[in-house]
Amino acid sequence: MLSVKQISKHFGDKIVLEDISLEIAEGEFVSLIGPSGSGKTTLFNLIGGLLMPDGGEIWKNEDNITNTTGHISYMPQQASLFPWRTILQNVLIGQELQGRKEEGLAKEMLQKAGLGEVIHSYPHELSGGMKQRASFIRALLSPQSFLCLDEPFSALDEFTRLDMQKWLLHIWEDNQQSILFITHSIDEALFLSDKIVVLSAGPAKVKRVFEVPFARPRDEKILLSEEFLKWKRMVLEEVQR
């Protein structure tokens, strides 16, 4: 379990985060939604130990990980693959940094991701969706069990994005790693998540936490259901309030 306890952060006179508390259980998929500039990426940087909070603590199970690195795996908005490394070499880099390399597992996961034929290709030879899949496999193969995904599908077109969401659910259900996911899409958050945390405009505070009621495994048909639209309205009203 990851616990964020009363975290606050300011830059100069600007308060970005104020008394943020949330919990992500083992194997739970949690989405963060809030206005642009509400501090979601700053919160990721705090969880990852890249920034020091001005108040509060971050715990992973029984360990206080505040301002320490190496406890999470992070996937940014862009795939950020190294152009001089093949796809296989790219997905193995997290393991290499830890002094180990499970090439067989990497090839198996790339095969499941539909990338089995391009493992020796370079990033410039792949489509945007293929690069995002490779980036996600790299995050999964890192030794950390907690993943922070920062709007990984925001640059994709609508159809590719839905395909990637379905693929992400399929892979996640197989691996059951804990995920904290930033998105501006309520549809995406409802389709993917167990729980949605709504942040206010800056300084960001937790306005409300929604427990998503849809059973797993999920089918894209729920996106057009009355129940889904009802929950979308509820979340939207909270975001706009």
Side-chain angles (χ1 to χ4, degrees), residues 21 32 36 39 50 52 77 87 114 120-121 124 136 147-148 213 218 226 238-239:
S21 294
L32 277 178
S36 295
L50 301 178
M52 178 72 177
Q77 293 182 28
I87 299 308
H120 300 302
S121 299
H124 74 272
F136 185 66
L147 307 183
C148 285
R218 294 197 182 149
E226 287 297 325
E238 190 63 49
V239 171

Side-chain angles (χ1 to χ4, degrees), residues 72-83:
I72 70 163
S73 182
Y74 175 69
M75 181 178 170
Q77 293 182 28
Q78 303 300 323
S80 300
L81 301 174
F82 293 112

Side-chain angles (χ1 to χ4, degrees), residues 30-43:
V30 178
S31 285
L32 277 178
I33 282 189
S36 295
S38 61
K40 298 183 293 295
T41 299
T42 297
L43 181 58

Side-chain angles (χ1 to χ4, degrees), residues 82-124:
F82 293 112
W84 61 88
R85 293 177 67 108
T86 66
I87 299 308
L88 179 60
Q89 291 168 342
N90 263 288
V91 302
L92 286 169
I93 193 166
Q95 293 191 348
E96 290 176 15
L97 293 172
Q98 297 291 322
R100 62 189 180 91
K101 184 160 57 171
E102 297 180 48
E103 191 169 302
L105 178 60
K107 288 179 178 178
E108 179 184 338
M109 294 187 73
L110 287 167
Q111 184 70 41
K112 287 182 179 179
L115 300 173
E117 301 298 318
V118 296
I119 62 172
H120 300 302
S121 299
Y122 290 88
H124 74 272

Side-chain angles (χ1 to χ4, degrees), residues 11-81:
F11 297 101
D13 295 330
K14 183 179 181 182
I15 302 172
V16 179
L17 302 173
E18 187 172 10
D19 197 28
I20 298 285
S21 294
L22 57 93
E23 290 189 345
I24 300 96
E26 184 176 350
E28 191 172 38
F29 197 125
V30 178
S31 285
L32 277 178
I33 282 189
S36 295
S38 61
K40 298 183 293 295
T41 299
T42 297
L43 181 58
F44 268 23
N45 288 333
L46 288 163
I47 292 171
L50 301 178
L51 294 174
M52 178 72 177
D54 297 305
E57 295 177 334
I58 299 166
W59 288 74
K60 188 178 179 188
N61 299 323
E62 304 303 317
D63 299 320
N64 186 337
I65 64 169
T66 310
N67 200 217
T68 63
T69 59
H71 300 282
I72 70 163
S73 182
Y74 175 69
M75 181 178 170
Q77 293 182 28
Q78 303 300 323
S80 300
L81 301 174

Side-chain angles (χ1 to χ4, degrees), residues 137-154:
I137 294 298
R138 179 178 61 187
L140 283 176
L141 285 170
S142 295
Q144 298 84 1
S145 61
F146 188 91
L147 307 183
C148 285
L149 309 182
D150 190 352
E151 293 193 85
F153 307 144
S154 60

